[in-house]
């Protein structure tokens, strides 16, 4: 996602999720589709949240408005030997930017 560097490691992932849940304390995700393959899991879901703290997107920053937002996302989770090795997330950037007031 624009505004965030690629991260690696359990602690870095915990910190990133902590930031998201602080910025959007009412964050909720409704899974709409799951596809499981030999080495890949695909999750499609809808996120609803209200921004409570500034949120950077590229060179811009969304500011809290109190208005709930809704946008779709997809996670690609790669795994090997029963362990997830990579997670890539793709969001509907237009809907997310609109929800952030950008």
């Amino acid at each position: 996602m624009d505004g965030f560097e690629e991260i690696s490691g359990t602690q870095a992932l915990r910190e990133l999720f902590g930031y998201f849940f602080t910025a959007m304390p009412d964050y909720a995700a409704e899974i709409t589709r799951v596809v499981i393959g030999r080495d890949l899991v695909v999750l499609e879901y809808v996120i609803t949240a209200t921004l409570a703290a500034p949120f950077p997107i590229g060179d811009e920053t969304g500011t809290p408005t109190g208005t709930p937002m809704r946008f779709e996302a997809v996670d690609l989770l790669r795994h090997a030997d029963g362990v997830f090795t990579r997670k890539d997330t793709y969001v509907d950037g237009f809907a997310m930017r609109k929800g952030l007031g950008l």
Side-chain angles (χ1 to χ4, degrees), residues 23-102:
M24 297 176 251
D26 63 345
Y27 175 101
E30 178 186 350
I31 296 174
T32 57
R33 183 175 169 194
V34 177
V35 178
I36 301 173
R38 187 174 56 87
D39 61 353
L40 180 70
V41 175
V42 179
L43 299 175
E44 294 180 19
Y45 52 101
V46 175
I47 295 170
T48 55
T50 307
L51 190 62
F55 195 87
I57 298 290
D59 294 335
E60 301 176 295
T61 300
T63 55
T65 64
T67 303
M69 62 180 143
R70 181 182 188 281
F71 55 94
E72 296 178 357
V74 175
D75 282 350
L76 302 180
L77 301 155
R78 299 197 183 280
H79 60 90
D81 300 321
V83 176
F84 288 107
T85 58
R86 183 174 177 97
K87 175 186 177 288
D88 294 296
T89 300
Y90 302 91
V91 300
D92 178 346
F94 290 113
M96 184 177 187
R97 279 183 161 83
K98 179 180 177 185
L100 294 172
L102 301 175

Side-chain angles (χ1 to χ4, degrees), residues 1-22:
M1 177 186 314
D2 287 347
F4 293 93
E5 298 292 325
E6 183 173 324
I7 62 166
S8 179
T10 303
Q11 186 59 35
L13 186 61
R14 282 189 182 126
E15 290 172 10
L16 181 63
F17 278 120
Y19 176 77
F20 280 110
F21 295 136
T22 297

